[in-house]
Amino acid sequence: MGLLEEITDFCENNSTLYGFADISKYKEEIISKDLYPYDYAISLGLSIDDEIINNLDSEEGRIAYLDAYVETNNKLNNVSQFIVKLIKDKGYDAQAVNASYILPDERLVGEVSHKFVANLAGLGWIGKSCLLITPDYGPRVRWVTVLTNFILPANKERLKSHCNSCRLCVDICPPKAFKNIEFNENEPRESRYNANLCKEYFDKLESEGKPRLCGLCVKVCPWGLK
């Protein structure tokens, strides 16, 4: 079995969704400079149970969501590390990017935009909530990325937004962080989303002894409810 077949087989059995992306033209937009040597990426997603997300309005539901959030991220990190080993064992280079790590600066971004990579891989579109919206699961998916110099068949068409006039995520957001603006890769994230408002809201929750999470934009998205 060749490396591509090994990767595909593992992804099929250990993720809800996966895809391959050519990131060579988008490095400045989606990855940290120390990751520039890589031209290809594997995007993997794991869905979170609908019952957990549907109960986010309750205290028990928020605790269950936090547990699922952490557990899913850990699974994704383990899966991505295994793929890195597969690739390196064949003589190529690869690096897994943590599913939830945020860089310690004022930008409030990760080392890689997992959502942009998943969009490039044809797995969904980036919605007004800045979440990756998939046709089958809506935004109820967590993502991880593996970067590599192994050439992947990254030729799947990117999905166009189907948010249209919907603004449910915009209206339900407690800190009003979303600006009801569709994703445009040529515009900065700040044009549609104020990440600092989310951070301030999470800080407030933490000061009240509550978990630093929300998820209401995930819950109300019609693409996750259908």
Side-chain angles (χ1 to χ4, degrees), residues 15-212:
S15 65
T16 305
L17 296 168
Y18 74 94
F20 307 132
D22 180 344
I23 63 170
S24 58
K25 297 178 181 178
Y26 296 94
K27 293 181 182 181
E28 291 186 3
E29 289 86 354
I30 62 175
I31 63 177
S32 299
K33 288 185 177 180
D34 57 334
L35 301 176
Y36 277 15
Y38 303 102
D39 286 338
Y40 292 89
I42 303 167
S43 177
L44 300 107
L46 284 174
S47 62
I48 296 179
D49 186 79
D50 284 332
E51 185 176 353
I52 292 174
I53 294 177
N54 292 339
N55 290 328
L56 271 171
D57 288 337
S58 69
E59 188 66 29
E60 289 182 357
R62 286 189 287 272
I63 293 173
Y65 181 60
L66 177 61
D67 290 342
Y69 184 93
V70 173
E71 181 182 358
T72 303
N73 286 340
N74 288 338
K75 287 181 179 178
L76 286 168
N77 289 332
N78 290 336
V79 166
S80 63
Q81 291 292 349
F82 187 89
I83 293 176
V84 167
K85 185 177 185 305
L86 278 180
I87 295 173
K88 287 188 172 182
D89 284 349
K90 296 292 186 179
Y92 298 93
D93 194 15
Q95 182 168 335
V97 183
N98 189 283
S100 60
Y101 175 70
I102 301 297
L103 292 170
D105 59 33
E106 69 280 357
R107 294 175 297 164
L108 300 176
V109 297
E111 294 177 285
V112 167
S113 173
H114 299 300
K115 291 165 285 191
F116 201 150
V117 173
N119 173 246
L120 290 175
L123 298 174
W125 66 91
I126 298 175
K128 294 177 182 179
S129 61
C130 290
L131 298 173
L132 199 285
I133 315 297
T134 68
D136 293 328
Y137 301 92
R140 301 179 176 210
V141 181
R142 295 290 303 161
W143 300 96
V144 77
T145 303
V146 174
L147 302 174
T148 183
N149 63 355
F150 175 62
I151 299 175
L152 294 163
N155 53 11
K156 195 167 182 180
E157 186 176 353
R158 295 171 70 182
L159 299 186
K160 296 180 180 179
S161 173
H162 292 282
C163 292
N164 301 317
S165 62
C166 179
R167 52 175 294 141
L168 292 176
C169 61
V170 177
D171 293 335
I172 203 170
C173 178
K176 303 303 178 187
F178 305 126
K179 303 179 182 181
N180 195 35
I181 296 176
E182 293 266 18
F183 172 76
N184 183 332
E185 66 185 46
N186 297 313
E187 296 175 350
R189 184 182 66 169
E190 291 72 25
S191 66
R192 56 190 176 275
Y193 170 57
N194 188 332
N196 282 300
L197 290 180
C198 268
K199 179 183 181 299
E200 291 169 5
Y201 178 66
F202 291 153
D203 290 344
K204 179 176 180 292
L205 290 175
E206 187 175 47
S207 70
E208 297 171 352
K210 299 176 182 178
R212 292 179 62 88

